[in-house]
């Protein structure tokens, strides 16, 4: 790689070779890395892992439905200026004191290179990604209130996550390196769980994973349990002293896995009707 920053994962974040390559290509080509995948596949944690692996600061811009691209650049606090002019008894002619940089602006002004996470970009309106195209390309933006141009001291490593709730514009996609994180298969999930619970008894892990993937395979589940729910469940099983051989028959602490009433009821009906010992009767996926 032409760039000296090479990402290889961290001890607490298991990364596939393909994902590792995507990160390093985006860094080398100085392109944002767009990460898609269902909730619970570690999209947000990837940026945290990159920052730790490369020993760089992490800036997080959490996107909401009301977020505008301007929010990431700067905000002009006109309300505070008006208040100060009326009650503050201070000079308000210096507009710069009322300019607050957003996360993108802060990343540009940082003296060292940083990792910038733009998290869940698809939550914003359809124009949001296009409104960021210019700034992400040229790495600067203009503040008309002060006549100042903010230019990136060091080009940040930009990680953008999406849950695919909305289609992103083609013009935006062309400027990104893209990677889809598949949901971990049982082998990868075993490695992930062992990272968090290295002392976990093997039989309990085997039975917990068997039950976990069976629940995910049930047709009609609205919110499939993710990796974070599995980790909570495994911890609950351990603390509760649950015997491994009873997990498949009883699904104890199911509330740690499922968060919707409909999913909870559906899973219990499937368990009572078919059980986990014969998952083929409820799903073609099997184990």
């Amino acid at each position: 790689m032409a760039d000296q920053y090479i990402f290889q994962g961290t001890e607490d974040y298991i990364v596939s070779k393909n994902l590792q390559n995507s990160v390093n290509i985006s860094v080398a080509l100085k392109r944002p890395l767009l990460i898609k995948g269902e909730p619970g596949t570690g999209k947000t944690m990837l940026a945290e892992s990159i920052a730790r692996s490369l020993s760089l600061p992490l800036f997080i811009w959490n996107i909401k439905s009301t977020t505008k691209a301007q929010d990431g650049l700067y905000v002009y606090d006109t309300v505070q200026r008006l208040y100060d002019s009326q009650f503050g008894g201070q000079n308000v002619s210096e507009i710069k004191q009322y300019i607050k940089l957003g996360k993108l602006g802060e990343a540009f002004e940082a003296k060292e290179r940083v990792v910038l996470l733009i998290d869940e970009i698809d939550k914003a309106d359809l124009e949001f990604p296009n409104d960021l195209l210019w700034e992400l390309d040229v790495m600067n933006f203009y503040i008309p209130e002060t006549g100042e141009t903010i230019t990136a001291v060091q080009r940040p490593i930009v990680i953008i996550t999406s849950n695919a709730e909305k289609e992103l514009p083609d013009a935006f996609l062309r400027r990104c390196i893209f990677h889809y994180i598949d949901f971990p298969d049982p082998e990868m999930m075993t490695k992930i769980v062992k990272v968090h619970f290295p002392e976990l008894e093997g039989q309990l892990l085997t039975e917990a994973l068997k039950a976990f993937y069976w629940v995910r395979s049930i047709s009609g589940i609205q919110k499939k349990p993710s990796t974070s729910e599995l980790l909570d469940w495994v911890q609950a099983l351990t603390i509760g002293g649950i015997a491994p051989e009873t997990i498949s028959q009883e699904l104890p602490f199911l509330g740690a896995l499922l968060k919707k009433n409909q999913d909870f009821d559906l899973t219990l009906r499937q368990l009572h009707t078919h059980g986990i010992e014969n998952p083929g009767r409820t799903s073609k996926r099997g184990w």
Side-chain angles (χ1 to χ4, degrees), residues 100-136:
K100 177 181 172 72
L101 293 180
K103 290 300 180 181
L104 191 58
E106 290 178 359
F108 282 7
E109 275 213 330
K111 296 297 186 288
E112 60 180 319
R113 197 171 196 185
V114 305
V115 176
L116 171 64
L117 170 63
I118 304 177
D119 202 22
E120 298 190 330
I121 193 172
D122 52 327
K123 281 188 174 181
D125 63 44
L126 292 176
E127 293 304 314
F128 180 88
N130 281 337
D131 290 343
L132 284 179
L133 285 179
W134 175 256
E135 287 76 17
L136 290 177

Side-chain angles (χ1 to χ4, degrees), residues 10 16 25 29 44 65 69 97 129 175 183 204 219 264 271 278:
T10 52
S16 69
I25 287 296
L29 297 183
T44 299
S65 60
Q97 64 184 311
R175 288 164 169 81
F183 195 84
L204 188 145
S219 177
F264 201 97
L271 179 65
N278 189 10

Side-chain angles (χ1 to χ4, degrees), residues 171-243:
F172 181 81
L173 294 175
R174 283 196 297 271
R175 288 164 169 81
C176 297
I177 303 299
F178 173 76
H179 186 91
Y180 186 91
I181 300 182
D182 292 315
F183 195 84
D185 60 19
E187 181 180 356
M188 175 66 79
M189 191 64 83
T190 298
K191 296 178 182 179
I192 293 172
V193 174
K194 285 185 175 179
V195 164
H196 293 271
F197 305 105
E199 304 299 324
L200 187 65
E201 194 265 321
Q203 180 72 18
L204 188 145
L205 176 56
T206 297
E207 293 300 320
L209 286 177
K210 178 182 176 184
F212 172 74
Y213 281 98
W214 178 77
V215 171
R216 282 182 55 86
S217 74
I218 296 174
S219 177
I221 290 287
Q222 295 183 19
K223 184 186 182 304
K224 295 181 179 181
S226 66
T227 305
S228 60
E229 276 98 19
L230 172 62
L231 295 176
D232 287 343
W233 193 46
V234 167
Q235 187 172 19
L237 295 173
T238 303
I239 294 174
I242 302 300

